[in-house]
Amino acid sequence: MAGITFFHYIHKNTILHKMDCRLKLLCLILLSLSAGFATKWLHYFVIICIITLAIIIARLPIAALLKDMKFFAIIILIVFISNAFTIPGEQIPNFPISNVSIQGITAGLRFAGRLIIILMICTAITGTTSLMALKNAIEWLLRPIPFIPEVRIATIINLTFVLIPLIFDNYVEIISAQKSRCIQLNKNPIRRIRLITLPLLSQSLRRADEIAYAMESRCYSETRSSYIHKTNKIDWIILGTCLMILIFALFL
Amino acid sequence: MPTLETKNLTHIFPDGTIAIQNISLQVKPGEFLIIAGANGSGKTVLIRHLNGLFTPTKGTVLLDGKAITANIVEARKKIGLVFQDSDSQIVGQTVAEDVAFGPENLKLPPHEIDTITKRVLEITNLTALSTQNPHVLSGGQKRKLAIAGVLAMRPEIILFDEPFTGLDYPGVISILKQIINLHKTGHTIILVTHELEKVLAHADRLAILHKGQLMEIGTPKEVILHSKHYGIRMPLKNNEEIHLMTWLE
């Protein structure tokens, strides 16, 4: 878990790290819409250039991110191939494989482009936003909605992210302990799954119980100090840029 | 007047297991009390009662003469608990966020939370790690962070549940120094352990729990001689003075 850079917060002191998370979430929405409405190659080129620039400004480790991209490369490839083969249209002259149309390849490239853009936006947002800031922004955005326990939802999101690496560590520990006792010789897959799932579940529940006690011990309640959100001129300029990109993708 | 007191404290689990039975003890302000006992002797259950996390089947826990249940938030503010498993205590995404968790619960204003967090990180030598993800810290650093999280609540009494478990030699020394400094700065310390050799030299009193009952309580010199009867290793060699047993230079 610790070795993966994708979708992980990386602490730096840049304008994007300091940006108000509420506006950052609005930027996420605007850029995602821009990717959805993009029709020309120029649109894709401009959006990718802007997000790449954001990643450079945020000083995120581009080489490590590209390496982690391989996890998503297969999905992007599947999207491209399925589009290329299923969308009917003009055949490519002298191309050895039939059923591949020019329109299919174009649509495949567009879908792949959109996926890449969304992955890049998420990387830029998660890499520059701590979970606590994200939690506070979600809490703020949910506050006006009636009957929604915004503090509880935000705490659940926070605790989920705290527990995921711990559960993953537990899983690795259980697998290693079972391998050391030759679990691989047991050919029954259902029994093997059961032998891993039950201790993992029991340990995770015990851990959740302990976390609940620890939070109670530190006086946790749903009425806590509220976070003061601050915006500055640069934050609004970044939001304005994202809005311009959406207008560009929609009308130009 | 004792700062913390238990009267006939009894805890019986729903399956009928008696965890602790009729425990009555008094802790004076500024005292350093060690509660020792073998596995399953009821140490953790007792310490959780002292923090108001469990409801007694019988008996009471008093803080400055009043039942802690009368104002549980105030009691938890005054009595901090450092859990045995630091991972369970850490809820923040960065070291600083975790330290700020308690003061945020106390609804302190943001500038005060910031000041407290910085001061506590400094006291626990964690300032350089303030932006780190707690998950990647070493065992000793995680234990320090757990202590920092409790210190941020500005408690008068600090309870430690097996603070040396799983730590290497430098880790034990670092946590031991921290505990002794807290005692020197006026905090009341109640420490639960079965590893007496690491800390007994610095304690004022020693209590021994056995099968949920308080068997002995007194100065370490009086009580230690009976420790082996209750499944606790006698940490002294023949005629060795307790204060010479310290792990610190």
Side-chain angles (χ1 to χ4, degrees):
Chain A
M1 266 312 263
I4 297 172
T5 326
F6 233 80
F7 299 149
H8 271 222
Y9 172 62
I10 299 156
H11 184 80
K12 295 270 158 72
N13 195 18
T14 70
I15 48 167
L16 280 175
H17 284 81
K18 287 185 208 157
M19 188 179 174
D20 186 326
C21 187
R22 296 168 302 167
L23 298 192
K24 231 188 266 187
L25 288 179
L26 283 177
C27 290
L28 168 82
I29 295 166
L30 290 175
L31 287 175
S32 302
L33 285 174
S34 311
F37 289 119
T39 46
K40 297 177 189 163
W41 295 117
L42 184 66
H43 293 156
Y44 289 97
F45 179 73
V46 170
I47 298 169
I48 288 177
C49 282
I50 294 282
I51 304 167
T52 309
L53 186 68
I55 292 173
I56 292 168
I57 290 170
R59 303 212 321 262
L60 297 178
I62 294 174
L65 290 170
L66 285 174
K67 204 176 134 206
D68 289 344
M69 267 290 256
K70 66 177 181 242
F71 292 112
F72 299 95
I74 297 166
I75 301 170
I76 294 168
L77 196 68
I78 290 169
V79 168
F80 172 71
I81 291 172
S82 61
N83 271 284
F85 276 92
T86 53
I87 292 175
E90 205 181 316
Q91 294 287 308
I92 306 168
N94 303 325
F95 195 69
I97 307 164
S98 57
N99 297 334
V100 178
S101 64
I102 294 172
Q103 286 79 358
I105 287 181
T106 314
L109 282 173
R110 281 204 176 124
F111 271 107
R114 276 177 199 146
L115 268 179
I116 291 169
I117 289 170
I118 288 175
L119 280 173
M120 287 174 77
I121 300 168
C122 291
T123 307
I125 300 282
T126 51
T128 59
T129 316
S130 80
L131 208 65
M132 195 56 83
L134 201 61
K135 174 185 160 285
N136 290 329
I138 292 170
E139 209 176 298
W140 189 88
L141 292 168
L142 289 177
R143 207 171 288 158
I145 306 170
F147 311 115
I148 297 275
E150 75 278 1
V151 180
R152 204 175 306 164
I153 290 173
T155 305
I156 289 169
I157 294 171
N158 187 34
L159 286 180
T160 307
F161 280 89
V162 168
L163 272 170
I164 287 171
L166 296 178
I167 293 173
F168 189 79
D169 283 353
N170 261 355
Y171 170 76
V172 172
E173 194 105 328
I174 291 167
I175 291 272
S176 309
Q178 293 190 355
K179 272 186 188 164
S180 78
R181 293 200 286 161
C182 302
I183 182 81
Q184 63 274 24
L185 299 179
N186 191 324
K187 300 292 176 203
N188 183 341
I190 295 168
R191 189 157 183 266
R192 282 173 67 166
I193 291 170
R194 190 174 61 86
L195 287 172
I196 292 165
T197 330
L198 288 183
L200 185 65
L201 196 66
S202 121
Q203 283 183 28
S204 303
L205 289 175
R206 205 177 311 134
R207 171 93 65 186
D209 214 30
E210 283 290 296
I211 289 181
Y213 275 129
M215 287 172 71
E216 209 182 323
S217 158
R218 288 163 81 186
C219 304
Y220 176 76
S221 75
E222 285 184 8
T223 48
R224 311 177 71 224
S225 299
S226 46
Y227 181 80
I228 298 169
H229 295 274
K230 279 182 203 153
T231 54
N232 58 39
K233 213 188 276 176
I234 299 170
D235 295 354
W236 291 104
I237 292 171
I238 296 171
L239 184 71
T241 312
C242 293
L243 193 65
M244 302 266 277
I245 293 170
L246 178 63
I247 293 167
F248 170 70
L250 275 172
F251 304 111
L252 299 173
Chain B
M1 183 183 170
T3 181
L4 194 61
E5 188 179 1
T6 66
K7 281 185 179 171
N8 299 318
L9 194 66
T10 302
H11 188 99
I12 303 171
F13 285 114
D15 66 353
T17 310
I18 300 170
I20 50 171
Q21 200 174 9
N22 291 324
I23 293 187
S24 296
L25 61 84
Q26 297 185 333
V27 185
K28 284 176 265 169
E31 192 180 3
F32 189 155
L33 171 70
I34 293 180
I35 301 173
N39 291 343
S41 58
K43 304 184 297 284
T44 298
V45 174
L46 173 61
I47 213 160
R48 288 189 180 191
H49 272 289
L50 299 182
N51 193 241
L53 290 174
F54 287 170
T55 310
T57 311
K58 205 180 88 190
T60 48
V61 180
L62 305 172
L63 174 68
D64 298 326
K66 290 177 196 152
I68 59 165
T69 45
N71 188 347
I72 197 74
V73 173
E74 197 55 34
R76 285 184 186 145
K77 216 172 111 182
K78 278 191 174 176
I79 310 167
L81 170 58
V82 180
F83 282 67
Q84 181 176 357
D85 178 11
S86 309
D87 275 325
S88 304
Q89 193 169 336
I90 296 166
V91 289
Q93 282 292 296
T94 66
V95 167
E97 276 177 11
D98 190 72
V99 175
F101 178 78
E104 279 172 7
N105 291 335
L106 298 176
K107 302 175 207 69
L108 299 180
H111 67 273
E112 205 178 327
I113 295 175
D114 209 41
T115 314
I116 293 172
T117 305
K118 279 182 186 151
R119 193 169 51 83
V120 167
L121 288 173
E122 215 175 284
I123 294 168
T124 47
N125 295 322
L126 288 172
T127 309
L129 300 171
S130 64
T131 55
Q132 283 273 358
N133 179 349
H135 184 60
V136 299
L137 300 182
S138 71
Q141 287 167 335
K142 280 184 188 172
R143 198 63 51 90
K144 269 189 178 182
L145 176 57
I147 296 174
V150 166
L151 285 183
M153 314 269 293
R154 291 178 284 188
E156 290 167 15
I157 304 166
I158 308 176
L159 315 169
F160 290 91
D161 190 0
E162 300 280 8
F164 308 115
T165 305
L167 297 186
D168 56 9
Y169 178 66
V172 170
I173 297 297
S174 159
I175 297 301
L176 186 57
K177 277 184 184 167
Q178 197 83 65
I179 294 170
I180 290 164
N181 281 337
L182 290 170
H183 183 224
K184 277 185 188 159
T185 50
H187 292 89
T188 306
I189 307 286
I190 302 175
L191 189 149
V192 157
T193 187
H194 61 271
E195 299 168 286
L196 287 176
E197 67 281 2
K198 291 173 182 166
V199 68
L200 191 64
H202 308 279
D204 299 320
R205 281 199 302 161
L206 171 64
I208 293 186
L209 276 189
H210 185 64
K211 293 183 179 169
Q213 286 182 305
L214 183 65
M215 307 307 284
E216 308 261 352
I217 184 158
T219 62
K221 203 175 172 181
E222 291 161 2
V223 176
I224 195 66
L225 299 170
H226 313 130
S227 65
K228 61 183 175 190
H229 302 310
Y230 306 112
I232 304 160
R233 182 182 165 265
M234 172 76 170
L236 292 169
K237 288 174 198 150
N238 292 338
N239 300 324
E240 194 183 357
E241 289 288 330
I242 290 178
H243 71 273
L244 296 176
M245 211 172 59
T246 180
W247 277 39
L248 302 180
E249 296 285 317

